Amino acid sequence: MNRGSALLATAFAAGLLGGLCNSLALWLAGDWGLTALLGVKIAPHLTPAWLYPRLVWGGIWGLVFYFTIARPRTRRHWVRKGLWISLLPSAVQLFIIFPNTTHYGMLGFGLGQLTPLVVLLANAVWGLFTGVFTRALWGRG
C-alpha cells in the first residue's frame, strides 16, 4: 500500500472514530438532559441502528477530510482542519437533510430554536476527534 492509500485509510478510520465520539457526545447530551435544557428535542437512544450509519458517515466525511491533508506540505494543523471540515456535515444536516428528508424544516427549527447550535457543536466534536485520531494514527507525516 502506498503512502497516499495509507493516508486515505487513516482519514477514513479517523473519521469513523470521530463519528463514534460525535455519536457518544450527542447521546450523552440527550441522556443527561442537556439538549432538553436548551429546548432542543434531540435525545437519541444508543442503539446499533442509530449508531451504525453515523459511524459510516463519519468515515465518509473523513474521506473529505483527506483532501485537506493529502499533500505532504499540508499535513499539519490536523485538529484545526478537522474543525473547519466539520462545518460541511453541519451545513448538509441543516440545509439539506432537515428541510428535505424530515419535517423539521430549514435548520431543524422544528426540533427547537437552538438546533443549529447543537448540530454545530456535535459536528465540532467529530472534527476535533477526527483531527486528533488522524494525528495519532498517522503522525507528523
Side-chain angles (χ1 to χ4, degrees), residues 108-131:
F109 284 141
L111 292 169
Q113 293 300 307
L114 292 178
T115 300
L117 176 65
V118 171
V119 170
L120 286 167
L121 289 175
N123 284 319
V125 169
W126 172 85
L128 171 78
F129 282 100
T130 296

Side-chain angles (χ1 to χ4, degrees), residues 15-86:
L16 186 140
L17 291 170
L20 177 63
C21 293
N22 162 290
S23 299
L24 292 174
L26 192 56
W27 169 71
L28 284 172
D31 194 53
W32 291 347
L34 298 175
T35 54
L37 188 64
L38 294 172
V40 176
K41 298 175 201 153
I42 297 177
H45 298 285
L46 190 60
T47 63
W50 178 77
L51 185 59
Y52 177 74
R54 300 179 60 78
L55 297 178
V56 171
W57 277 107
I60 291 170
W61 285 109
L63 297 178
V64 174
F65 177 69
Y66 163 80
F67 291 106
T68 69
I69 60 171
R71 294 191 323 251
R73 292 187 311 188
T74 64
R75 290 188 195 147
R76 53 184 95 111
H77 310 295
W78 308 90
V79 172
R80 184 182 318 151
K81 289 177 184 177
L83 290 171
W84 278 110
I85 294 297
S86 76

Side-chain angles (χ1 to χ4, degrees), residues 91-109:
V92 168
Q93 182 69 43
L94 295 170
F95 296 109
I96 297 173
I97 304 297
F98 279 148
N100 296 316
T101 64
T102 72
H103 62 278
Y104 302 125
M106 185 69 67
L107 300 173
F109 284 141

